[in-house]
Amino acid sequence: MPSPKGGNPLNCMCSSMRRATRLMTRMYDEALSAAGVSASQFELLANIRGRQPVDQRTLVRAIDSDQTTLSRNLAVLLERGWIELSADEKDGRKSLYRLTKTGTTTLSQAFACWEEVQTKLQQRIGAGQWKELMDLSNDVANAITEL
């Protein structure tokens, strides 16, 4: 049934992207479960590793998350001993996160799982379409940010 302006809600960009995201997240979650992490935990651990020591505000911007969700996810990583928290030497009010030895080991194990699923998906999609999809995905995210 068309919308009042003639658009077809079954041809919805949001629905299409959500479906692809759900399927992709499920695929990555299944692969990463062998290392004991979820896709969101992997993303957060990798971002902390690449920026450590890193404060929460920087992480919010890096993964485009809200503060509440990030705080909840960081609490799980802290509880599992994968990250540690320390005060910023320059600004004691600011907390900094870094991977622990256990977190580094966990992330290394997860990388092997991640590389396997990345390769499998890239082979299925094809290298050319993979690059196009990555570029298009980034273009969509940037366009939405600018709206």
Side-chain angles (χ1 to χ4, degrees):
M1 171 191 330
S3 72
K5 292 187 177 185
N8 184 349
L10 298 178
N11 188 22
C12 173
M13 177 62 72
C14 183
S15 295
S16 177
M17 296 295 286
R18 286 175 53 85
R19 178 175 181 261
T21 300
R22 281 191 302 273
L23 291 169
M24 189 169 300
T25 300
R26 189 177 308 138
M27 183 178 172
Y28 278 80
D29 277 342
E30 287 172 7
L32 291 165
S33 69
V37 301
S38 68
S40 61
Q41 291 168 338
F42 175 79
E43 177 188 24
L44 192 48
L45 287 168
N47 271 278
I48 291 170
R49 188 190 84 173
R51 294 173 169 81
Q52 63 186 343
V54 63
D55 63 86
Q56 197 161 336
R57 176 178 279 169
T58 301
L59 286 171
V60 163
R61 286 191 303 265
I63 65 172
D64 198 23
S65 178
D66 64 87
Q67 194 78 31
T68 302
T69 301
L70 182 61
S71 293
R72 193 170 38 245
N73 290 338
L74 287 169
V76 171
L77 301 185
L78 281 164
E79 184 178 299
R80 293 188 179 175
W82 295 343
I83 61 172
E84 61 187 8
L85 187 61
S86 62
D88 187 334
E89 291 178 11
K90 297 175 186 170
D91 181 354
R93 299 168 296 171
K94 189 186 292 186
S95 297
L96 298 175
Y97 296 91
R98 61 177 44 87
L99 295 183
T100 61
K101 192 173 210 170
T102 303
T104 301
T105 301
T106 299
L107 183 58
S108 293
Q109 293 168 349
F111 264 122
C113 302
W114 174 83
E115 286 176 339
E116 185 177 317
V117 74
Q118 283 274 111
T119 300
K120 187 184 299 184
L121 191 55
Q122 186 175 12
Q123 288 172 346
R124 177 70 177 102
I125 293 172
Q129 283 187 302
W130 177 269
K131 182 178 179 346
E132 288 176 27
L133 183 57
M134 290 292 291
D135 291 344
L136 184 57
S137 175
N138 288 324
D139 289 348
V140 169
N142 291 336
I144 291 169
T145 302
E146 293 170 5
L147 285 177

Short mmCIF file of all heavy atoms in Angstrom, two decimals, residues 10 12 21 31 33 47 49 77-79 84 86 94 100 117-118 121 124 136-137:
data_model
loop_
_atom_site.label_atom_id
_atom_site.label_comp_id
_atom_site.label_asym_id
_atom_site.label_seq_id
_atom_site.Cartn_x
_atom_site.Cartn_y
_atom_site.Cartn_z
N LEU A 10 7.34 -0.57 1.77
CA LEU A 10 8.06 -1.83 1.64
C LEU A 10 9.41 -1.63 0.96
O LEU A 10 10.26 -2.51 0.96
CB LEU A 10 7.22 -2.84 0.86
CG LEU A 10 5.90 -3.23 1.52
CD1 LEU A 10 5.12 -4.19 0.63
CD2 LEU A 10 6.13 -3.83 2.90
N CYS A 12 11.76 0.60 1.89
CA CYS A 12 12.25 1.53 2.91
C CYS A 12 13.75 1.29 3.17
O CYS A 12 14.16 0.17 3.47
CB CYS A 12 11.46 1.33 4.19
SG CYS A 12 12.06 2.25 5.60
N THR A 21 21.82 -5.32 8.79
CA THR A 21 22.58 -5.16 10.03
C THR A 21 22.29 -6.30 11.00
O THR A 21 23.22 -6.84 11.62
CB THR A 21 22.27 -3.80 10.67
OG1 THR A 21 22.64 -2.77 9.76
CG2 THR A 21 23.02 -3.61 11.98
N ALA A 31 30.49 -16.03 14.96
CA ALA A 31 31.92 -16.28 14.76
C ALA A 31 32.74 -15.88 15.98
O ALA A 31 33.63 -16.61 16.41
CB ALA A 31 32.40 -15.53 13.52
N SER A 33 31.82 -15.67 19.03
CA SER A 33 31.48 -16.39 20.27
C SER A 33 32.55 -17.42 20.63
O SER A 33 32.72 -17.74 21.80
CB SER A 33 30.11 -17.05 20.15
OG SER A 33 30.15 -18.12 19.22
N ASN A 47 38.51 -0.63 19.48
CA ASN A 47 38.62 0.83 19.54
C ASN A 47 39.43 1.29 20.74
O ASN A 47 40.19 2.26 20.64
CB ASN A 47 37.22 1.46 19.55
CG ASN A 47 36.72 1.73 18.17
OD1 ASN A 47 37.07 2.73 17.57
ND2 ASN A 47 35.93 0.81 17.63
N ARG A 49 41.85 -0.49 22.15
CA ARG A 49 43.24 -0.84 21.81
C ARG A 49 43.87 0.18 20.87
O ARG A 49 45.01 0.58 21.03
CB ARG A 49 43.32 -2.22 21.19
CG ARG A 49 44.79 -2.66 21.02
CD ARG A 49 44.93 -3.87 20.21
NE ARG A 49 44.94 -3.46 18.80
CZ ARG A 49 45.16 -4.26 17.81
NH1 ARG A 49 45.38 -5.54 18.03
NH2 ARG A 49 45.16 -3.83 16.58
N LEU A 77 32.91 -4.98 30.22
CA LEU A 77 34.32 -5.23 29.93
C LEU A 77 35.18 -5.11 31.19
O LEU A 77 36.12 -5.90 31.38
CB LEU A 77 34.83 -4.26 28.85
CG LEU A 77 34.12 -4.29 27.48
CD1 LEU A 77 34.84 -3.35 26.51
CD2 LEU A 77 34.01 -5.69 26.93
N LEU A 78 34.85 -4.15 32.03
CA LEU A 78 35.56 -4.01 33.32
C LEU A 78 35.32 -5.23 34.19
O LEU A 78 36.27 -5.77 34.79
CB LEU A 78 35.08 -2.74 34.04
CG LEU A 78 35.66 -1.42 33.56
CD1 LEU A 78 34.83 -0.25 34.09
CD2 LEU A 78 37.11 -1.28 33.99
N GLU A 79 34.08 -5.67 34.28
CA GLU A 79 33.71 -6.82 35.11
C GLU A 79 34.44 -8.09 34.66
O GLU A 79 34.83 -8.91 35.48
CB GLU A 79 32.19 -7.01 35.00
CG GLU A 79 31.62 -8.10 35.87
CD GLU A 79 30.12 -8.18 35.71
OE1 GLU A 79 29.44 -7.18 36.03
OE2 GLU A 79 29.63 -9.24 35.26
N GLU A 84 40.87 -1.81 32.01
CA GLU A 84 41.06 -1.20 33.32
C GLU A 84 40.84 0.30 33.18
O GLU A 84 40.94 0.86 32.10
CB GLU A 84 42.45 -1.51 33.87
CG GLU A 84 43.59 -1.00 33.02
CD GLU A 84 44.94 -1.49 33.50
OE1 GLU A 84 45.00 -2.34 34.40
OE2 GLU A 84 45.95 -1.01 32.96
N SER A 86 41.69 4.16 34.80
CA SER A 86 42.61 4.95 35.61
C SER A 86 42.29 6.42 35.42
O SER A 86 41.66 6.81 34.44
CB SER A 86 44.07 4.66 35.23
OG SER A 86 44.29 5.03 33.89
N LYS A 94 38.87 13.05 34.76
CA LYS A 94 38.63 12.25 33.55
C LYS A 94 39.19 10.85 33.75
O LYS A 94 40.29 10.68 34.24
CB LYS A 94 39.32 12.92 32.36
CG LYS A 94 38.96 12.31 31.03
CD LYS A 94 39.77 12.88 29.89
CE LYS A 94 39.44 14.31 29.60
NZ LYS A 94 40.14 14.80 28.38
N THR A 100 43.60 -4.66 29.48
CA THR A 100 44.44 -5.41 30.41
C THR A 100 45.14 -6.51 29.61
O THR A 100 44.87 -6.69 28.41
CB THR A 100 43.59 -6.08 31.50
OG1 THR A 100 42.68 -6.99 30.87
CG2 THR A 100 42.83 -5.06 32.33
N VAL A 117 35.53 -14.55 9.48
CA VAL A 117 34.20 -14.15 9.00
C VAL A 117 34.31 -13.01 7.99
O VAL A 117 33.56 -12.96 7.01
CB VAL A 117 33.24 -13.81 10.18
CG1 VAL A 117 33.57 -12.49 10.82
CG2 VAL A 117 31.80 -13.82 9.71
N GLN A 118 35.27 -12.12 8.18
CA GLN A 118 35.50 -11.05 7.20
C GLN A 118 35.85 -11.64 5.84
O GLN A 118 35.30 -11.24 4.82
CB GLN A 118 36.68 -10.16 7.64
CG GLN A 118 36.38 -9.18 8.73
CD GLN A 118 35.80 -7.89 8.20
OE1 GLN A 118 34.64 -7.61 8.42
NE2 GLN A 118 36.58 -7.09 7.52
N LEU A 121 32.84 -13.45 4.19
CA LEU A 121 31.86 -12.50 3.66
C LEU A 121 32.41 -11.77 2.44
O LEU A 121 31.70 -11.59 1.44
CB LEU A 121 31.47 -11.50 4.75
CG LEU A 121 30.29 -10.59 4.47
CD1 LEU A 121 29.05 -11.38 4.10
CD2 LEU A 121 30.02 -9.72 5.70
N ARG A 124 32.26 -14.01 -0.53
CA ARG A 124 30.88 -14.20 -0.99
C ARG A 124 30.40 -12.97 -1.76
O ARG A 124 29.73 -13.10 -2.78
CB ARG A 124 29.96 -14.47 0.21
CG ARG A 124 28.50 -14.61 -0.12
CD ARG A 124 28.25 -15.90 -0.90
NE ARG A 124 26.87 -16.08 -1.17
CZ ARG A 124 26.30 -15.84 -2.36
NH1 ARG A 124 27.02 -15.40 -3.35
NH2 ARG A 124 25.02 -16.04 -2.53
N LEU A 136 30.04 2.96 0.36
CA LEU A 136 28.65 3.41 0.41
C LEU A 136 28.14 3.48 1.85
O LEU A 136 27.46 4.44 2.23
CB LEU A 136 27.76 2.48 -0.42
CG LEU A 136 26.30 2.86 -0.55
CD1 LEU A 136 26.14 4.26 -1.14
CD2 LEU A 136 25.57 1.83 -1.40
N SER A 137 28.51 2.50 2.65
CA SER A 137 28.10 2.49 4.05
C SER A 137 28.64 3.72 4.78
O SER A 137 27.93 4.38 5.54
CB SER A 137 28.61 1.21 4.72
OG SER A 137 28.35 1.19 6.08
#
